[in-house]
Amino acid sequence: MSPWAGLVPAGALLLALAVPAAAQRDETVDRAEIHALLMAYGSTLDAHDFDGFGALFARDGVYAAGTGAQAHGGAEAAAMMRRIFEASPLGIAGPKYHVFFNELVDFDGPDRAHASAMSFYMVPGEDGRPVIAMMARYTDELVREDGRWRFARRRVTGLMPAPSQSR
Amino acid sequence: METTGSVEERLQRIEDQLAIHRLLDDYAAFLDARDYERYAMLFAPNGEWIGGVGHHKGRAAIRAMLVDLLGPPGSENRTEFHLLSNARVDVEGDRATATSRYLFVRRGSDGGPQPALAGLYTDMLVRADGRWLIARRIADDILPPPEEWATQCTADRQ
């Protein structure tokens, strides 16, 4: 056996450890991009940009809405939200908007992650002041597809009012 | 934001910020999930919690505070949640300080979410065995003020 044979794995290990931070996978960039994706969920819906909303989902992405309805793929998710918003189930005029908080993101690999977050859905009250109409939790599976983070699955759970109480 | 030092030093600062922000969010998540074990483990072994329901030192005492306030661990909670916001974190080596805002939201009489209490957390944090922990957390109830909040809580229990 070559006297150098045993040194190869050790050398490879040293090389791996010597990779400068700048050359390693930049998790902070991934976190920033995932944060932007979670925010875009609200900004597209608030702007009634349903095509933009659909583009947030992976090709096989699943959107499980708080109503129990499920959409498969971005186009179906976009169509579902367009229908819901046109029907205006809350019966409240705008402006309405999402407030997100308590965002937790964990990585399952270089291109997979899962996350949870919560939201208020704000609507104008009778006097025009902001009122919290709903509080929800999001449970997400995320995937990097074609270089961009997307929802592989987003499940919305209504917390308050309880789903049966939602107007 | 400080932008000096080597890439490794700058990355360390970012990782410290991320870890501490995560700690602040985990606090709310574990509290609302009634996961008292993981909540208590967010504190240093002799960590302190100081607020409207007293001064509790050590993980066992902090865990006991939750049992006392919220009942047995692991019970389902769909009626009250903590919103954590406005986190500001300053790191100095293996020690850090942080402030953040909490909004305690409860199910209202109509079933919808109602803000019940707003306050300020002031934290001292310490890095132990590579993990950031709460050395001391002060929870200041601001709106309504502590006396009014205590009166409301007493009325709720009756």
Side-chain angles (χ1 to χ4, degrees), chain A residues 20-22 28 31 101-106 118 120 132-135 137 157-163 165, chain B residues 7-8 11 14 18 22 25-26 28-29 78-84 103 105-107 110-113 115:
Chain A
T28 56
R31 284 189 180 278
F101 48 92
N102 296 20
E103 177 182 311
L104 303 172
V105 178
D106 289 294
M118 300 174 85
F120 289 150
I132 311 168
M134 288 192 290
M135 185 177 192
R137 172 180 287 129
T157 306
L159 297 172
M160 298 182 207
Q165 293 176 297
Chain B
V7 171
E8 282 75 12
L11 181 60
I14 291 169
L18 282 171
R22 177 59 183 250
D25 279 333
D26 277 346
R78 293 180 73 92
T79 58
E80 48 186 47
F81 299 92
H82 291 76
L83 184 168
L84 199 284
L103 180 65
V105 180
R106 276 181 160 166
R107 185 184 300 282
D110 63 352

Side-chain angles (χ1 to χ4, degrees), chain B residues 37 40-41 43-45 47 56-67:
Chain B
E37 298 302 330
M41 290 303 288
F43 287 81
H56 306 274
K57 185 165 185 174
R59 289 169 176 163
I62 288 167
R63 187 186 180 285
M65 167 187 78
L66 295 186
V67 174

Side-chain angles (χ1 to χ4, degrees), chain A residues 46-57:
Chain A
D46 295 346
H48 292 198
D49 173 10
F50 301 109
D51 291 334
F53 174 80
L56 304 178
F57 288 83

Side-chain angles (χ1 to χ4, degrees), chain B residues 26-49:
Chain B
D26 277 346
Y27 178 96
F30 297 157
L31 182 56
D32 293 341
R34 307 293 189 248
D35 188 342
Y36 304 162
E37 298 302 330
R38 293 169 83 190
Y39 173 96
M41 290 303 288
L42 297 176
F43 287 81
N46 59 349
E48 297 173 84
W49 189 98

